């Protein structure tokens, strides 16, 4: 590829982000950056009492995504990097969902939004963003297949709400060029035709 790029991969739980990041890394020999879920010190408390800990948990994610985004900006001056889930999704999908459910109170939401907008003004966007779409049915099926215990009890209504918020966010996203992949029937890991199609699509943005 001609110059180093910062590639962002966005999409709902179970839509295939990690698979695509792995595909890009193996195909082009680039470095991945993943979201910091496992290190969130509020996560266990959040799952026990969402109303009490939603704001704290989302502030943690926002802070660490900001740090990762800064690392990506610095790294892309030397090499191409790919990110699994962006800071935009944290704020405009997951935090927005918690606010709509009133797990984040109005006063806390205003503080969160002020911080998020301040961070946005200091960020350079990705060179391009790949948005993965998948139906709720497909997402539910993939969650069951991959078998992560903490995901098995996720309500269908939650996945539907996130899908709706993702569409709202993406409709207004204008930070960078975008690629949309409908992953319901896409199998670029084992199907040669899909592999070639996805590779051609991505490579248009890597020159």
């Amino acid at each position: 590829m001609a110059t180093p790029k910062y590639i962002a991969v966005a999409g709902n739980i179970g839509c295939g982000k990690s698979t695509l990041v792995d595909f890009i890394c193996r195909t082009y020999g680039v470095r991945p950056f993943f979201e910091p879920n496992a290190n969130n010190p509020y996560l266990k408390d959040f799952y026990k009492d969402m109303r009490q800990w939603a704001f704290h948990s989302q502030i943690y994610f926002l802070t660490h995504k900001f740090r990762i985004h800064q690392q990506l900006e610095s790294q892309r001056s030397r090499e191409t990097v790919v990110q699994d889930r962006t800071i935009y999704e944290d704020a405009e999908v997951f935090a927005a969902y918690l606010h709509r459910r009133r797990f984040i109170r109005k006063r806390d939401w205003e503080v969160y939004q002020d911080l998020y907008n301040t961070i946005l003004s200091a960020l350079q966007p990705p060179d391009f963003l790949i948005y993965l779409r998948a139906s709720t049915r497909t997402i539910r099926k993939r969650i069951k297949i991959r078998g992560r215990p903490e995901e098995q009890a996720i309500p269908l209504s939650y996945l539907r709400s996130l899908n709706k918020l993702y569409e709202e966010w993406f409709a207004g996203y204008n930070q960078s060029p975008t690629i949309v992949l409908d992953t319901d029937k896409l199998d670029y890991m084992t199907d040669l035709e899909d592999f070639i199609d996805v590779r051609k699509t991505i490579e248009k943005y890597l020159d």
Side-chain angles (χ1 to χ4, degrees):
M1 54 194 78
T3 57
K5 304 288 185 181
Y6 166 12
I7 307 165
V9 177
N12 201 354
I13 301 164
C15 69
K17 292 186 305 301
S18 297
T19 301
L20 182 62
V21 168
D22 182 59
F23 169 84
I24 292 170
C25 290
R26 290 196 294 106
T27 304
Y28 303 105
V30 303
R31 183 178 173 188
F33 284 76
F34 297 99
E35 58 183 338
N37 278 5
N39 299 322
N40 188 334
Y42 296 106
L43 214 50
K44 287 184 179 179
D45 291 323
F46 168 70
Y47 284 129
K48 291 177 184 176
D49 188 345
M50 289 188 177
R51 196 177 303 278
Q52 176 66 31
W53 296 103
F55 176 69
H56 303 76
S57 182
Q58 290 303 312
I59 287 291
Y60 172 87
F61 281 131
L62 190 65
T63 303
H64 281 256
K65 274 291 174 59
F66 181 31
R67 187 173 298 151
I68 289 172
H69 200 115
Q70 287 179 314
Q71 290 172 356
L72 284 158
E73 288 180 15
S74 172
Q75 204 70 23
R76 79 165 155 192
S77 65
R78 299 183 293 275
E79 61 178 335
T80 292
V81 292
V82 57
Q83 181 181 21
D84 181 341
R85 186 165 284 150
T86 66
I87 194 170
Y88 313 112
E89 297 160 83
D90 272 15
E92 301 189 41
V93 176
F94 292 91
Y97 170 81
L98 293 169
H99 171 60
R100 290 187 183 186
R101 289 293 308 276
R102 299 183 181 178
F103 292 143
I104 298 179
R105 300 174 181 87
K106 183 176 182 292
R107 181 176 59 179
D108 292 338
W109 181 243
E110 288 171 354
V111 170
Y112 181 92
Q113 285 289 292
D114 188 40
L115 176 59
Y116 173 57
N117 288 322
T118 301
I119 287 172
L120 279 189
S121 68
L123 293 182
Q124 295 179 28
D127 289 295
F128 64 95
L129 179 140
I130 305 172
Y131 175 49
L132 304 184
R133 276 198 178 106
S135 67
T136 307
R137 182 178 180 181
T138 296
I139 289 170
R140 192 67 176 271
K141 181 180 177 181
R142 288 176 181 162
I143 286 173
K144 187 174 182 180
I145 289 171
R146 72 187 183 188
R148 294 176 186 170
E150 69 275 12
E151 293 180 345
Q152 299 310 305
I154 294 176
L156 197 60
S157 59
Y158 177 60
L159 296 174
R160 286 198 188 103
S161 295
L162 291 184
N163 255 1
K164 183 179 177 183
L165 281 162
Y166 261 105
E167 289 298 313
E168 290 177 11
W169 162 68
F170 186 69
Y173 177 81
N174 59 5
Q175 301 291 318
S176 62
T178 60
I179 296 171
V180 179
L181 297 179
D182 186 337
T183 68
D184 278 340
K185 296 181 180 179
L186 200 60
D187 183 10
Y188 42 83
M189 297 302 282
T190 60
D191 186 288
L192 181 59
E193 188 174 341
D194 284 351
F195 171 86
I196 293 170
D197 287 344
V198 170
R199 184 165 182 167
K200 283 181 178 177
T201 300
I202 292 172
E203 285 177 356
K204 292 176 185 177
Y205 294 82
L206 292 177
D207 295 333

